[in-house]
């Protein structure tokens, strides 16, 4: 497979200086009030201005096709709105890589919901950084089959970053290289991150932070993009996040083009079957160059522009014109990228356009979300909801809008979850404008909460769904019986044997697991037994201080185990001797009376 190669930086100290100036200009553009508010929040730090994630290596410059085929067929969509094996080839994402992006976005949303990180942004970055881990060349755990390394950052056409990790991640003992599917340089992965030790993360829960693992790398990238209290639904924050990853306006436009493309629909393909990019470049005047002079792939700065000859689509530089010189990474060597062959008078270069989230003929027409179904949702604790939240996207004329991403979100406080333990999912509307959330499973506690559906990237009002989780009905028990017929005796002032009383609960002859039982020490009044005030008693296991030895003669909340058995807590006695009664009952009418004999102390 083609090795992943990344953007070149200006040689020597100029790289760091220009990169710092670009980031300083971006920071200065923020309003003072916003800057003060961000400082006051004292949340996670913003990415360091002089150290982009990738160290400024080359990147893949391929752009998505200007015209895509029809969206994937509805019948092949999964619960997450992703189709299997249909649609344009460029929209196919390797299964494990796609799962990593979605898992990372869900994890970041749970810890930092204000960031609003879309998984498609991770996919856009993953495309230009490594071609989606070389088309999904990963194992079942998400680790690349072979190392993905950028060029040596030795100052020879790139930034100079001497070895910071002893070759641990990149195998290079002299200089650093960008590593893995999201191309982290070792110093970014292991230094200056959220916990002071690095941005590296454990995305697959195996206890390791491996930049070569797509789950780990995607989660780390997501947290990095959200740093500085960013809200990625705001264009300025989105742009700054991407520029923090790589200090180049051309890099920004390339990532945004793929981000927009993926938001129009994707489908899953087997690992190793993803489309591999072929054009590489991005080397401009300097590593921090924001002029957009980097090498374009077969795409362009704005829709409708045709790439120039001599390098814009082939990666091969054209011949320079008279008095001109070839510059690394500039198509045609002319410095414009629009002069065929690099000769003649450069054409006026149109102002690059930032891709918009939607197109006028697609989801951009969406003006409203309409709830489908009037009834609120309900389920029993621990079970799946019978119905899922469902909305229809409409335009101003009331017609359905296909291909619109709709986000369903749960409050993190509830125990309910979408598949994959997710609290948010994004579903793309079908040709009928419908978006249906995947199956929702209730948590273990009863209560009510609200599910919100919002149109991603649009200002349409959100739709709210009421959801109720009902308590699981207590198992029934219509009979209680002791598991032993041994007489229960103790001496006054002492305790009965440990676990002296064990009972079995059944319902219609079958084991009653989880049945609720109440135990009460009662008087021997045959007509109306009441709680006794003397004789055997229990102790409250949660009591403290002077109350921990206080007699308790009624216990509630006792339940039988999986085998229908219940062992009562230790039973103590006071100074009274005689025969006393322990009454066990269930809500279904089962009653068991147990005799407790207390003998007087010897010589009394």
């Amino acid at each position: 497979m083609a090795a992943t190669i990344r953007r070149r930086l200006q040689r020597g100290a100029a790289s760091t200086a220009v990169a710092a100036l670009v980031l300083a200009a971006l920071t200065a553009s923020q309003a003072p009030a916003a800057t003060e508010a961000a400082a006051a929040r004292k949340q996670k730090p913003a990415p360091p201005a002089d150290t982009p994630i990738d160290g400024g290596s080359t990147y893949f410059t391929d752009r998505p096709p200007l015209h895509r085929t029809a969206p994937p067929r509805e019948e092949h969509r999964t619960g997450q709105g992703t189709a299997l094996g249909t649609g344009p080839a460029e929209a196919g994402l390797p299964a494990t890589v796609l799962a990593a992006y979605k898992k990372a976005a869900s994890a970041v949303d749970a810890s930092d919901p204000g960031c609003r990180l879309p998984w498609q942004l991770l996919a856009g970055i993953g495309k230009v950084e490594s071609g989606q881990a070389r088309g999904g060349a990963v194992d079942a755990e998400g680790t690349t089959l072979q190392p993905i390394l950028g060029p040596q950052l030795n100052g020879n056409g790139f930034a100079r970053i001497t070895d910071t990790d002893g070759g641990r991640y990149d195998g290079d003992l002299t200089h650093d290289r960008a590593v893995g599917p999201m191309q982290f340089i070792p110093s970014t992965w292991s230094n200056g991150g959220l916990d002071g030790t690095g941005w590296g993360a454990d995305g697959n829960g195996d206890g390791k932070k491996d930049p070569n693992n797509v789950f780990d790398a995607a989660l780390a990238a997501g947290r990095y993009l959200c740093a500085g209290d960013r809200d990625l639904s705001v264009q300025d924050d989105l742009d700054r996040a991407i520029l923090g990853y790589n200090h180049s306006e051309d890099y920004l436009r390339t990532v945004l083009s793929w981000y927009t493309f993926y938001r129009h629909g994707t489908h899953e393909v087997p690992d190793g079957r993803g489309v591999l990019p072929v054009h590489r470049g991005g080397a401009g005047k300097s590593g921090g160059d924001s002029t957009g002079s980097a090498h374009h792939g077969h795409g362009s700065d704005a829709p409708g522009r045709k790439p120039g000859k001599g390098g814009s689509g082939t990666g091969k530089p054209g011949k320079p014109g008279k008095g001109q010189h070839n510059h690394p990474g500039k198509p045609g060597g002319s410095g414009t990228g629009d002069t065929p062959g690099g000769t003649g008078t450069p054409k006026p270069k149109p102002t690059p356009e930032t891709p918009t989230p939607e197109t006028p003929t697609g989801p951009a027409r969406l003006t409203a979300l309409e709830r489908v179904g009037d009834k609120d949702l309900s389920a029993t604790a621990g079970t799946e909801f019978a119905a899922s939240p469902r909305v229809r996207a409409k335009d101003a004329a009331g017609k359905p809008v296909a291909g619109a991403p709709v986000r369903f979100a749960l409050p993190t406080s509830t125990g309910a979850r979408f598949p994959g333990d997710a609290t948010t999912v994004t579903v793309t509307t079908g040709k009928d404008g419908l978006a249906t959330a995947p199956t929702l499973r209730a948590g273990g506690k009863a209560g009510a909460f609200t599910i919100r559906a919002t149109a991603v990237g649009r200002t349409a009002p959100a739709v709210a769904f009421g959801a109720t989780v009902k308590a699981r009905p207590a198992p029934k028990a219509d009979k209680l019986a002791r598991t032993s017929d041994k007489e229960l005796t103790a001496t006054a002032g002492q305790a009965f044997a440990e676990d002296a009383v064990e009972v079995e609960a059944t319902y219609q002859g079958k084991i009653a697991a989880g049945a609720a039982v109440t135990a009460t020490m009662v008087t021997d009044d045959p007509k109306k037994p009441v709680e006794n005030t003397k004789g055997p008693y229990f102790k409250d296991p949660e009591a403290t201080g002077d109350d921990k030895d206080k007699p308790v003669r009624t216990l509630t909340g006792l339940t039988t185990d999986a085998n229908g058995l219940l062992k009562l807590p230790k039973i103590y006695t006071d100074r009274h001797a005689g025969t006393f009664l322990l009454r066990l009952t269930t809500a279904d009418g089962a009653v068991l009376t147990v005799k407790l004999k207390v003998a007087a102390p010897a010589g009394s």
Side-chain angles (χ1 to χ4, degrees):
M1 291 192 180
T4 302
I5 304 184
R6 310 184 45 76
R7 190 170 64 85
R8 296 185 178 182
L9 291 177
Q10 187 181 25
R11 301 182 183 185
S15 170
T16 303
V18 175
L21 287 173
V22 172
L23 268 293
L26 289 173
T27 303
S29 67
Q30 301 181 53
T35 304
E36 294 173 2
R41 281 190 291 266
K42 294 183 180 179
Q43 296 190 6
K44 50 189 176 298
D50 57 348
T51 310
I53 278 184
D54 60 17
S57 294
T58 54
Y59 59 88
F60 284 108
T61 58
D62 292 26
R63 299 287 183 95
L66 296 177
H67 303 286
R68 61 187 298 145
T69 58
R73 295 191 300 274
E74 183 71 20
E75 61 268 25
H76 291 289
R77 291 184 182 276
T78 68
Q80 287 72 31
T82 302
L84 297 174
T86 61
E90 293 86 355
L93 293 174
T96 300
V97 177
L98 176 61
Y101 294 152
K102 291 186 175 182
K103 182 178 177 64
S106 178
V108 171
D109 184 75
S111 61
D112 188 4
C115 177
R116 298 177 174 86
L117 171 69
W119 67 261
Q120 292 92 338
L121 177 58
L122 295 174
I125 290 174
K127 180 69 173 181
V128 302
E129 295 292 340
S130 67
Q132 311 299 13
R134 291 177 177 164
V138 297
D139 62 21
E141 302 302 319
T143 302
T144 57
L145 301 180
Q146 295 180 351
I148 299 178
L149 299 174
Q152 188 181 62
L153 300 176
N154 56 10
N156 184 20
F158 299 89
R160 180 179 177 82
I161 303 179
T162 56
D163 178 58
T164 63
D165 66 329
R168 175 185 177 186
Y169 298 114
D170 57 10
D172 195 320
L173 296 175
T174 60
H175 296 86
D176 277 351
R177 299 169 182 259
V179 179
M182 302 303 279
Q183 290 287 274
F184 279 80
I185 55 173
S187 58
T188 307
W189 184 264
S190 59
N191 295 289
L194 290 171
D195 56 3
T197 61
W199 288 94
D202 178 13
N204 61 353
D206 64 355
K208 298 183 293 184
K209 298 177 181 180
D210 182 4
N212 294 296
N213 182 278
V214 69
F215 288 94
D216 294 358
L219 178 57
R223 290 175 175 173
Y224 188 98
L225 292 167
C226 287
D229 228 39
R230 292 192 181 103
D231 179 353
L232 299 183
S233 66
V234 177
Q235 190 65 47
D236 285 347
D237 280 2
L238 176 63
D239 291 351
R240 289 189 182 94
I242 298 172
L243 287 171
Y245 211 105
N246 190 307
H247 303 161
S248 164
E249 288 287 347
D250 200 49
Y251 178 88
L252 170 66
R253 288 191 295 273
T254 305
V255 170
L256 285 175
S257 69
W258 283 106
Y259 169 49
T260 302
F261 181 77
Y262 290 139
R263 286 183 62 177
H264 279 75
T266 62
H267 59 272
E268 182 180 298
V269 298
D271 290 343
R273 299 290 296 276
V275 175
L276 289 172
V278 295
H279 303 102
R280 63 196 183 196
K285 295 179 181 179
S286 71
D289 179 27
S290 296
T291 64
S293 62
H295 179 175
H296 303 299
H298 69 277
S300 58
D301 286 349
R305 285 185 57 193
K306 296 181 179 180
K309 298 178 182 179
S312 65
T314 65
K316 298 177 182 180
K319 297 179 181 180
K322 186 177 180 180
Q324 296 173 329
H325 302 279
N326 269 327
H327 295 282
K330 293 186 178 183
S334 67
T336 67
D338 291 312
T339 304
T343 62
T345 304
K347 298 179 182 178
K349 192 167 184 176
T351 302
E353 299 175 4
T354 299
T356 55
E358 321 293 355
T359 63
T361 57
R365 296 186 295 112
L366 190 156
T367 60
L369 290 178
E370 177 185 80
R371 174 173 175 163
V372 178
D374 297 328
K375 294 183 178 180
D376 283 344
L377 309 174
S378 65
T380 301
T383 66
E384 293 181 348
F385 283 79
S388 294
R390 196 179 196 193
V391 296
R392 177 177 279 108
K394 290 186 174 182
D395 61 16
K399 295 182 179 180
V401 177
V406 176
R407 189 186 197 203
F408 294 90
L410 307 171
T412 55
S413 58
T414 182
R417 291 293 185 268
F418 292 116
D421 201 33
T423 56
T424 61
V425 292
T426 300
V427 180
T428 303
T429 58
K431 58 185 178 181
D432 52 3
L434 291 176
T436 304
T439 301
L440 178 64
R441 187 173 186 82
K445 294 183 179 180
F449 60 93
T450 300
I451 306 168
R452 294 176 62 84
T454 56
V456 178
R458 311 304 301 166
T459 57
V463 174
F465 298 83
T468 302
V469 177
K470 302 176 182 178
R472 187 191 299 271
K476 295 182 178 181
D478 58 10
K479 184 178 180 180
L480 293 171
R482 284 188 62 195
T483 58
S484 172
D485 57 3
K486 184 178 180 181
E487 187 178 61
L488 300 173
T489 62
T491 301
Q494 299 181 10
F496 284 84
E498 198 81 28
D499 300 329
V501 181
E502 181 184 62
V503 298
E504 180 184 49
T506 57
Y507 180 71
Q508 296 181 351
K510 296 182 180 180
I511 290 174
V517 178
T518 298
T520 307
M521 300 295 179
V522 297
T523 62
D524 58 359
D525 185 342
K527 294 183 178 180
K528 190 177 181 180
V530 296
E531 183 180 277
N532 212 334
T533 59
K534 62 181 181 179
Y537 62 91
F538 303 103
K539 290 183 180 181
D540 185 352
E542 298 182 359
T544 59
D546 294 338
D547 292 334
K548 65 180 181 180
D549 292 324
K550 184 178 180 180
V552 175
R553 291 188 167 87
T554 298
L555 290 180
T556 59
L558 302 172
T559 57
T560 58
D561 63 16
N563 297 314
L565 299 177
L566 169 64
K567 290 183 179 181
L568 267 63
K570 192 172 184 179
I571 300 174
Y572 300 86
T573 67
D574 57 16
R575 61 186 178 83
H576 296 92
T579 299
F580 300 89
L581 301 180
L582 168 63
R583 183 184 174 93
L584 303 173
T585 61
T586 69
D588 301 296
V591 178
L592 173 65
T593 301
V594 179
K595 290 184 178 181
L596 302 174
K597 294 184 177 181
V598 180
S604 62

